[in-house]
Amino acid sequence: MLTAALVVTWSILSYRAVGQEEKGRELAARAAFGSVPGAQVEQALGDLRSARRYRMDNGPLIARGVLLYAAGRRAAAAEIGRRATDKEPDNLDAWFLAYSAAPDARQRDAARREIARLDPWAARRLP
């Protein structure tokens, strides 16, 4: 009985984490095309930090990086991109974040090579 209760609780928290990640990605998309109030960005960043506790993958971490990049916090986004690619070197989304937020041409080129390794077609479409 206790095991069932734990599974149900974990499922509910995981479902909530997916929703938090989706809201963070939506806010990042809005921020990429215009100004978003700082309070909304901070709230979403906190929600994404919380969501990481209940997800096995790096989706919430990458969503945080994308949101930071869209909000103009490029150095923080680059650091998250580095962490995400270290944790999941075959994660294409992590490499796209690392590419987009790269602080210099050398790191950008390294990210481009990894994107090409994972998806040659996607690498050809990069600027």
Side-chain angles (χ1 to χ4, degrees):
M1 186 63 112
L2 178 60
T3 302
L6 290 173
V7 168
V8 169
T9 301
W10 184 261
S11 296
I12 291 168
L13 293 172
S14 294
Y15 181 76
R16 181 173 176 249
V18 169
Q20 289 171 317
E21 181 181 341
E22 184 60 32
K23 286 180 183 177
R25 289 184 185 275
E26 289 171 4
L27 188 63
R30 285 197 332 234
F33 293 103
S35 179
V36 172
Q40 283 184 0
V41 171
E42 292 306 316
Q43 175 66 44
L45 290 172
D47 289 346
L48 289 166
R49 265 187 231 98
S50 174
R52 277 193 43 81
R53 291 184 205 130
Y54 307 106
R55 295 288 304 274
M56 299 300 285
D57 66 353
N58 276 321
L61 179 65
I62 295 168
R64 275 185 61 218
V66 170
L67 178 56
L68 287 165
Y69 181 79
R73 294 163 61 180
R74 196 169 184 163
E79 172 59 23
I80 287 178
R82 186 197 58 74
R83 286 177 33 210
T85 56
D86 285 350
K87 289 180 180 186
E88 291 183 358
D90 291 335
N91 186 317
L92 190 58
D93 288 337
W95 284 109
F96 275 120
L97 173 60
Y99 172 83
S100 298
D104 58 48
R106 183 185 60 76
Q107 290 180 19
R108 190 175 181 99
D109 290 342
R112 179 191 293 271
R113 284 191 300 278
E114 290 300 316
I115 291 168
R117 177 181 68 82
L118 295 169
D119 187 344
W121 183 82
R124 289 192 299 262
R125 299 194 55 174
L126 293 173

